[in-house]
Amino acid sequence: MASFALPSMGMTPEQHKNMKIAFIDIYKRLPISSGGDWWTFQLLTDLARHNSVNMLYTSEKSSEEGYFPKEISFDTHFLPSRVKWSRLSTWLDIIRSDMLWDKAHIRDIEADCVFTSVYGYHIAAYVASKNDAPLILFMHDKIGRAHV
């Protein structure tokens, strides 16, 4: 697998070696049970080789079936919703989960760089803005830089 290189973002190579990376997504991608889970696991593993990676997720998977890697080189944290909207509508929980979070759970997240899927965009934009960090949107094999 090719190594993933971050854009320079005005940082020296030495500063790049130990960046704090926040990765915000809808699901904890473990256990691995789909191609998207594998892609995410490989990306985070590669990023964690020289950086501190924290995967933050907003929804629990409905199934615990799949492959659990023996070694995981990044941290995972569930961001709980202050309201259990999933009882009424899973889509609200997925599409605008930022409306359901207590900011206390996300205001202390430190990051030099923030990765997110479209589902975590609103929370990731808040974290990136608070940290004056670049926000990088991803969609499996497509990665692009967003401006906050």
Side-chain angles (χ1 to χ4, degrees):
M1 181 170 96
S3 183
F4 181 80
L6 290 168
S8 72
M9 299 179 286
M11 300 175 80
T12 67
E14 205 49 45
Q15 289 170 312
H16 268 296
K17 286 187 180 176
N18 199 14
M19 291 176 57
K20 291 180 184 175
I21 298 174
F23 184 92
I24 301 171
D25 199 6
I26 188 168
Y27 296 116
K28 176 180 180 182
R29 299 297 181 152
L30 300 166
I32 297 170
S33 58
S34 71
D37 293 349
W38 272 112
W39 184 89
T40 301
F41 176 76
Q42 293 296 334
L43 175 64
L44 295 181
T45 299
D46 199 29
L47 289 171
R49 285 189 185 136
H50 301 290
N51 303 289
S52 173
V53 177
N54 188 4
M55 176 191 219
L56 304 135
Y57 59 98
T58 61
S59 296
E60 296 283 358
K61 282 186 177 180
S62 59
S63 172
E64 286 294 316
E65 294 179 16
Y67 173 72
F68 272 102
K70 290 180 184 177
E71 292 184 31
I72 300 169
S73 56
F74 50 88
D75 295 326
T76 60
H77 298 284
F78 176 63
L79 296 173
S81 172
R82 58 190 159 106
V83 179
K84 294 293 179 193
W85 282 101
S86 59
R87 291 181 184 159
L88 301 173
S89 170
T90 304
W91 286 108
L92 182 60
D93 221 5
I94 292 172
I95 295 172
R96 286 303 306 263
S97 52
D98 58 301
M99 295 173 63
L100 310 175
W101 282 343
D102 183 351
K103 291 262 197 266
H105 292 286
I106 58 175
R107 78 170 144 234
D108 295 330
I109 297 170
E110 292 183 14
D112 298 312
C113 183
V114 181
F115 282 72
T116 189
S117 67
V118 293
Y119 296 114
Y121 177 79
H122 294 92
I123 296 163
Y126 174 83
V127 172
S129 177
K130 185 186 77 61
N131 285 280
D132 193 27
L135 175 60
I136 299 174
L137 295 170
F138 71 88
M139 188 59 114
H140 297 286
D141 63 346
K142 299 184 183 346
I143 298 177
R145 193 159 171 202
H147 299 282
V148 204

